[in-house]
PDB file of all heavy atoms in Angstrom:
ATOM      1  N   SER A1352     -17.436  16.017   1.718  1.00  0.00           N
ATOM      2  CA  SER A1352     -16.154  16.020   2.255  1.00  0.00           C
ATOM      3  C   SER A1352     -15.765  17.280   2.983  1.00  0.00           C
ATOM      4  O   SER A1352     -15.439  17.323   4.149  1.00  0.00           O
ATOM      5  CB  SER A1352     -15.106  15.745   1.147  1.00  0.00           C
ATOM      6  OG  SER A1352     -13.826  15.637   1.664  1.00  0.00           O
ATOM      7  N   LEU A1353     -16.117  18.404   2.261  1.00  0.00           N
ATOM      8  CA  LEU A1353     -15.844  19.645   2.891  1.00  0.00           C
ATOM      9  C   LEU A1353     -16.817  19.958   4.060  1.00  0.00           C
ATOM     10  O   LEU A1353     -16.421  20.599   5.021  1.00  0.00           O
ATOM     11  CB  LEU A1353     -15.992  20.831   1.849  1.00  0.00           C
ATOM     12  CG  LEU A1353     -14.897  20.875   0.772  1.00  0.00           C
ATOM     13  CD1 LEU A1353     -15.245  21.811  -0.393  1.00  0.00           C
ATOM     14  CD2 LEU A1353     -13.578  21.275   1.380  1.00  0.00           C
ATOM     15  N   GLY A1354     -18.079  19.556   3.829  1.00  0.00           N
ATOM     16  CA  GLY A1354     -19.021  19.751   4.965  1.00  0.00           C
ATOM     17  C   GLY A1354     -18.720  18.959   6.176  1.00  0.00           C
ATOM     18  O   GLY A1354     -18.711  19.543   7.281  1.00  0.00           O
ATOM     19  N   VAL A1355     -18.302  17.710   6.063  1.00  0.00           N
ATOM     20  CA  VAL A1355     -17.975  16.905   7.229  1.00  0.00           C
ATOM     21  C   VAL A1355     -16.667  17.496   7.826  1.00  0.00           C
ATOM     22  O   VAL A1355     -16.693  17.656   9.103  1.00  0.00           O
ATOM     23  CB  VAL A1355     -17.695  15.446   6.834  1.00  0.00           C
ATOM     24  CG1 VAL A1355     -17.137  14.730   7.887  1.00  0.00           C
ATOM     25  CG2 VAL A1355     -18.976  14.814   6.384  1.00  0.00           C
ATOM     26  N   ALA A1356     -15.637  17.925   6.976  1.00  0.00           N
ATOM     27  CA  ALA A1356     -14.409  18.342   7.527  1.00  0.00           C
ATOM     28  C   ALA A1356     -14.667  19.753   8.300  1.00  0.00           C
ATOM     29  O   ALA A1356     -14.082  20.026   9.363  1.00  0.00           O
ATOM     30  CB  ALA A1356     -13.426  18.624   6.422  1.00  0.00           C
ATOM     31  N   GLY A1357     -15.544  20.522   7.761  1.00  0.00           N
ATOM     32  CA  GLY A1357     -15.921  21.867   8.371  1.00  0.00           C
ATOM     33  C   GLY A1357     -16.742  21.684   9.630  1.00  0.00           C
ATOM     34  O   GLY A1357     -16.257  22.176  10.640  1.00  0.00           O
ATOM     35  N   ALA A1358     -17.655  20.772   9.565  1.00  0.00           N
ATOM     36  CA  ALA A1358     -18.477  20.512  10.866  1.00  0.00           C
ATOM     37  C   ALA A1358     -17.624  19.939  12.047  1.00  0.00           C
ATOM     38  O   ALA A1358     -17.696  20.353  13.189  1.00  0.00           O
ATOM     39  CB  ALA A1358     -19.702  19.700  10.544  1.00  0.00           C
ATOM     40  N   VAL A1359     -16.891  18.920  11.602  1.00  0.00           N
ATOM     41  CA  VAL A1359     -16.052  18.306  12.706  1.00  0.00           C
ATOM     42  C   VAL A1359     -14.923  19.180  13.169  1.00  0.00           C
ATOM     43  O   VAL A1359     -14.603  19.277  14.347  1.00  0.00           O
ATOM     44  CB  VAL A1359     -15.508  16.868  12.213  1.00  0.00           C
ATOM     45  CG1 VAL A1359     -14.594  16.254  13.242  1.00  0.00           C
ATOM     46  CG2 VAL A1359     -16.630  15.937  11.790  1.00  0.00           C
ATOM     47  N   GLY A1360     -14.314  19.836  12.192  1.00  0.00           N
ATOM     48  CA  GLY A1360     -13.204  20.745  12.484  1.00  0.00           C
ATOM     49  C   GLY A1360     -13.643  21.868  13.414  1.00  0.00           C
ATOM     50  O   GLY A1360     -12.921  22.345  14.281  1.00  0.00           O
ATOM     51  N   ARG A1361     -14.895  22.359  13.345  1.00  0.00           N
ATOM     52  CA  ARG A1361     -15.429  23.391  14.109  1.00  0.00           C
ATOM     53  C   ARG A1361     -15.460  22.968  15.610  1.00  0.00           C
ATOM     54  O   ARG A1361     -15.210  23.747  16.563  1.00  0.00           O
ATOM     55  CB  ARG A1361     -16.754  23.836  13.764  1.00  0.00           C
ATOM     56  CG  ARG A1361     -17.343  25.007  14.487  1.00  0.00           C
ATOM     57  CD  ARG A1361     -18.710  25.335  13.921  1.00  0.00           C
ATOM     58  NE  ARG A1361     -19.340  26.380  14.639  1.00  0.00           N
ATOM     59  CZ  ARG A1361     -19.237  27.716  14.281  1.00  0.00           C
ATOM     60  NH1 ARG A1361     -18.503  27.975  13.168  1.00  0.00           N
ATOM     61  NH2 ARG A1361     -19.891  28.629  15.025  1.00  0.00           N
ATOM     62  N   ARG A1362     -15.665  21.629  15.840  1.00  0.00           N
ATOM     63  CA  ARG A1362     -15.707  21.081  17.208  1.00  0.00           C
ATOM     64  C   ARG A1362     -14.491  20.562  17.740  1.00  0.00           C
ATOM     65  O   ARG A1362     -14.368  20.280  19.014  1.00  0.00           O
ATOM     66  CB  ARG A1362     -16.840  20.004  17.294  1.00  0.00           C
ATOM     67  CG  ARG A1362     -18.225  20.471  17.098  1.00  0.00           C
ATOM     68  CD  ARG A1362     -19.241  19.416  17.316  1.00  0.00           C
ATOM     69  NE  ARG A1362     -20.492  19.972  17.488  1.00  0.00           N
ATOM     70  CZ  ARG A1362     -21.220  20.314  18.565  1.00  0.00           C
ATOM     71  NH1 ARG A1362     -20.489  20.128  19.711  1.00  0.00           N
ATOM     72  NH2 ARG A1362     -22.369  20.754  18.642  1.00  0.00           N
ATOM     73  N   SER A1363     -13.489  20.343  16.882  1.00  0.00           N
ATOM     74  CA  SER A1363     -12.267  19.615  17.249  1.00  0.00           C
ATOM     75  C   SER A1363     -11.096  20.507  17.042  1.00  0.00           C
ATOM     76  O   SER A1363      -9.935  20.038  16.880  1.00  0.00           O
ATOM     77  CB  SER A1363     -12.076  18.331  16.504  1.00  0.00           C
ATOM     78  OG  SER A1363     -12.017  18.502  15.174  1.00  0.00           O
ATOM     79  N   GLY A1364     -11.240  21.892  17.026  1.00  0.00           N
ATOM     80  CA  GLY A1364     -10.104  22.642  16.899  1.00  0.00           C
ATOM     81  C   GLY A1364      -9.457  22.635  15.517  1.00  0.00           C
ATOM     82  O   GLY A1364      -8.296  22.684  15.460  1.00  0.00           O
ATOM     83  N   GLY A1365     -10.265  22.522  14.433  1.00  0.00           N
ATOM     84  CA  GLY A1365      -9.629  22.504  13.131  1.00  0.00           C
ATOM     85  C   GLY A1365      -9.100  21.245  12.608  1.00  0.00           C
ATOM     86  O   GLY A1365      -8.235  21.290  11.767  1.00  0.00           O
ATOM     87  N   ARG A1366      -9.499  20.083  13.288  1.00  0.00           N
ATOM     88  CA  ARG A1366      -8.929  18.872  12.923  1.00  0.00           C
ATOM     89  C   ARG A1366      -9.955  17.858  12.417  1.00  0.00           C
ATOM     90  O   ARG A1366     -10.235  16.835  12.986  1.00  0.00           O
ATOM     91  CB  ARG A1366      -8.142  18.227  14.030  1.00  0.00           C
ATOM     92  CG  ARG A1366      -6.881  18.994  14.308  1.00  0.00           C
ATOM     93  CD  ARG A1366      -6.210  18.357  15.466  1.00  0.00           C
ATOM     94  NE  ARG A1366      -5.102  19.243  16.027  1.00  0.00           N
ATOM     95  CZ  ARG A1366      -4.538  19.124  17.224  1.00  0.00           C
ATOM     96  NH1 ARG A1366      -4.962  18.262  18.060  1.00  0.00           N
ATOM     97  NH2 ARG A1366      -3.509  19.886  17.454  1.00  0.00           N
ATOM     98  N   GLY A1367     -10.686  18.221  11.391  1.00  0.00           N
ATOM     99  CA  GLY A1367     -11.756  17.378  10.903  1.00  0.00           C
ATOM    100  C   GLY A1367     -11.422  16.460   9.793  1.00  0.00           C
ATOM    101  O   GLY A1367     -12.065  15.461   9.502  1.00  0.00           O
ATOM    102  N   GLY A1368     -10.222  16.647   9.229  1.00  0.00           N
ATOM    103  CA  GLY A1368      -9.732  15.872   8.043  1.00  0.00           C
ATOM    104  C   GLY A1368      -9.685  14.300   8.267  1.00  0.00           C
ATOM    105  O   GLY A1368     -10.260  13.530   7.422  1.00  0.00           O
ATOM    106  N   PRO A1369      -9.119  13.789   9.382  1.00  0.00           N
ATOM    107  CA  PRO A1369      -9.110  12.404   9.717  1.00  0.00           C
ATOM    108  C   PRO A1369     -10.490  11.711   9.634  1.00  0.00           C
ATOM    109  O   PRO A1369     -10.526  10.541   9.438  1.00  0.00           O
ATOM    110  CB  PRO A1369      -8.387  12.370  10.912  1.00  0.00           C
ATOM    111  CG  PRO A1369      -7.606  13.517  11.104  1.00  0.00           C
ATOM    112  CD  PRO A1369      -8.416  14.564  10.401  1.00  0.00           C
ATOM    113  N   VAL A1370     -11.514  12.493   9.919  1.00  0.00           N
ATOM    114  CA  VAL A1370     -12.783  11.782  10.222  1.00  0.00           C
ATOM    115  C   VAL A1370     -13.461  11.706   8.774  1.00  0.00           C
ATOM    116  O   VAL A1370     -14.486  10.844   8.603  1.00  0.00           O
ATOM    117  CB  VAL A1370     -13.742  12.675  11.109  1.00  0.00           C
ATOM    118  CG1 VAL A1370     -14.956  12.019  11.452  1.00  0.00           C
ATOM    119  CG2 VAL A1370     -12.812  12.796  12.411  1.00  0.00           C
ATOM    120  N   VAL A1371     -13.152  12.469   7.818  1.00  0.00           N
ATOM    121  CA  VAL A1371     -13.877  12.670   6.548  1.00  0.00           C
ATOM    122  C   VAL A1371     -14.003  11.171   5.795  1.00  0.00           C
ATOM    123  O   VAL A1371     -15.106  10.858   5.492  1.00  0.00           O
ATOM    124  CB  VAL A1371     -13.211  13.666   5.636  1.00  0.00           C
ATOM    125  CG1 VAL A1371     -13.859  13.617   4.243  1.00  0.00           C
ATOM    126  CG2 VAL A1371     -13.442  15.066   6.230  1.00  0.00           C
ATOM    127  N   ALA A1372     -12.860  10.648   5.521  1.00  0.00           N
ATOM    128  CA  ALA A1372     -12.969   9.379   4.826  1.00  0.00           C
ATOM    129  C   ALA A1372     -13.744   8.291   5.459  1.00  0.00           C
ATOM    130  O   ALA A1372     -14.547   7.738   4.787  1.00  0.00           O
ATOM    131  CB  ALA A1372     -11.444   8.862   4.520  1.00  0.00           C
ATOM    132  N   PRO A1373     -13.614   8.074   6.819  1.00  0.00           N
ATOM    133  CA  PRO A1373     -14.436   6.978   7.401  1.00  0.00           C
ATOM    134  C   PRO A1373     -15.966   7.485   7.399  1.00  0.00           C
ATOM    135  O   PRO A1373     -16.782   6.462   7.180  1.00  0.00           O
ATOM    136  CB  PRO A1373     -13.912   7.030   8.955  1.00  0.00           C
ATOM    137  CG  PRO A1373     -12.658   7.553   8.863  1.00  0.00           C
ATOM    138  CD  PRO A1373     -12.526   8.556   7.861  1.00  0.00           C
ATOM    139  N   VAL A1374     -16.186   8.745   7.618  1.00  0.00           N
ATOM    140  CA  VAL A1374     -17.642   9.102   7.578  1.00  0.00           C
ATOM    141  C   VAL A1374     -18.217   8.789   6.181  1.00  0.00           C
ATOM    142  O   VAL A1374     -19.409   8.358   5.957  1.00  0.00           O
ATOM    143  CB  VAL A1374     -17.812  10.625   7.938  1.00  0.00           C
ATOM    144  CG1 VAL A1374     -19.190  11.187   7.596  1.00  0.00           C
ATOM    145  CG2 VAL A1374     -17.495  10.776   9.423  1.00  0.00           C
TER     146      VAL A1374
END
Side-chain angles (χ1 to χ4, degrees):
Chain A
S1352 180
L1353 291 172
V1355 171
V1359 178
R1361 189 181 174 87
R1362 289 184 169 272
S1363 62
R1366 291 173 187 166
V1370 185
V1371 171
V1374 167

